[in-house]
Amino acid sequence: MPRFCANLTLMFNEVPFLDRFAAAAKAGFKGVEYLFPYDFPKEQLAGLLAKHQLTQVLHNMPAGDWASGERGLACLPDRVNEFQASVEKAIDYAVILGCTQVNCLAGLTPQNVTPEKVRETFVNNLKFAAPKFKAAGIKLLTEPINCKRDIPGFYLNTTQQALDIISDVGNDNLFVQYDIYHMQIMEGDLAPTIEKNLAMIPHMQLADTPGRHEPGTGEINFTFLFDHIDKLGYKGWIGCEYKPLTTTEAGLGWIKKYLQ
């Protein structure tokens, strides 16, 4: 049966962030993820995880100035030094939090830079990062994100593009973070894509589309998809990275049988 973790950036927004750990545990979740841990002392977050017996499943590397619209550093030729420094910061947090996988956001495609240079920068940054994460016992992931609705201009958009990048990097510690919501928008064909590339997918995320709300609010047949993923023998977590249609608690009917 798939294991689901609560995304505390989008879920349980009815309470302040630090109270969401307790809310997730009370709802029955055993694992949590969120975009970034860096606004809080890592020891404080580790304490909340231990108190509520939660596994820190995933967080992202620092992604630049998120509030001003930046969405990652990895493909930006003029930010390589900042990217390299962010690798150490991400590892530092992940080790204390017991988090064994970290996602690298590619970033927005920079203007007035050739496509070749953008790709070269992304590949070289991942070549730098992957072995450092491996030495710390942490898997490095990178996530294709839709550029049609949520993040126009995002550099990494499809499963195959991610796999091609990973092939060029040539390190066995680089994987795909497969987001069901984003990939339904960009390419569809969810079940066979997951099956074909399962060995390269240690983590998934979900939301229904349109709307990016909980399963059952849109077009994706999650009952079929969860059964399919289970039959494939998927051992990773699935992060619930959706915006509740009303309140978080009111929208948890779909998951109750999986949390029992």
Side-chain angles (χ1 to χ4, degrees):
M1 180 177 294
R3 295 181 297 166
F4 297 93
C5 61
N7 186 295
L8 301 186
T9 302
L10 295 183
M11 300 176 71
F12 301 104
N13 277 208
E14 299 84 1
V15 298
F17 180 78
L18 294 178
D19 294 333
R20 296 174 198 171
F21 293 82
K26 182 179 179 182
F29 287 97
K30 303 300 183 185
V32 295
E33 63 174 34
Y34 38 84
L35 289 183
F36 308 107
Y38 311 109
D39 286 342
F40 302 93
K42 48 189 177 292
E43 295 80 7
Q44 183 180 23
L45 298 175
L48 289 170
L49 292 167
K51 178 180 180 179
H52 299 293
Q53 298 182 305
L54 292 167
T55 297
Q56 176 76 36
V57 175
L58 178 90
H59 62 75
N60 293 320
M61 290 180 58
D65 189 346
W66 192 265
S68 72
E70 293 186 334
R71 290 297 181 263
L73 303 170
C75 75
L76 307 180
D78 61 342
R79 306 283 286 278
V80 171
N81 290 341
E82 187 178 350
F83 175 85
Q84 291 184 355
S86 78
V87 170
E88 300 303 324
K89 186 173 186 178
I91 290 172
D92 186 37
Y93 265 82
V95 168
I96 296 298
L97 298 178
C99 183
T100 59
Q101 45 188 21
V102 171
N103 180 43
C104 174
L105 291 165
L108 303 178
T109 304
Q111 302 298 309
N112 302 317
V113 180
T114 66
E116 294 78 14
K117 183 62 175 178
V118 176
R119 194 178 196 280
E120 177 187 19
T121 301
F122 189 32
V123 168
N124 286 341
N125 277 333
L126 292 172
K127 284 182 177 180
F128 173 86
K132 292 187 176 296
F133 279 99
K134 185 175 183 177
I138 301 164
K139 289 181 179 178
L140 180 61
L141 285 58
T142 192
E143 178 187 13
I145 292 177
N146 87 79
C147 58
K148 295 180 178 179
R149 298 180 197 169
D150 290 76
I151 309 184
F154 196 78
Y155 178 67
L156 190 63
N157 304 131
T158 68
T159 304
Q160 190 58 54
Q161 184 189 4
L163 292 169
D164 290 344
I165 292 287
I166 290 170
S167 177
D168 283 2
V169 171
N171 189 287
D172 64 359
N173 192 46
L174 183 59
F175 302 88
V176 177
Q177 179 175 306
Y178 188 86
D179 189 301
I180 292 166
Y181 165 78
H182 289 303
M183 293 303 92
Q184 173 67 2
I185 293 170
M186 290 304 301
E187 61 192 27
D189 221 22
L190 300 171
T193 301
I194 292 170
E195 182 171 2
K196 179 181 178 182
N197 300 295
L198 190 67
M200 294 301 297
I201 302 174
H203 187 66
M204 299 187 202
Q205 291 176 325
L206 64 75
D208 216 333
T209 180
R212 201 173 184 174
H213 302 308
E214 53 265 52
T217 59
E219 67 185 9
I220 300 174
N221 185 345
F222 278 103
T223 299
F224 166 81
L225 195 60
F226 294 155
D227 287 345
H228 178 72
I229 291 168
D230 203 26
K231 290 174 183 176
L232 293 176
Y234 176 68
K235 302 300 183 184
W237 294 79
I238 302 177
C240 301
E241 195 185 38
Y242 63 79
K243 298 179 290 185
L245 185 60
T246 56
T247 66
T248 302
E249 194 66 34
L252 290 177
W254 71 273
I255 200 174
K256 290 189 181 300
K257 67 178 180 179
Y258 299 107
L259 295 180
Q260 293 173 355

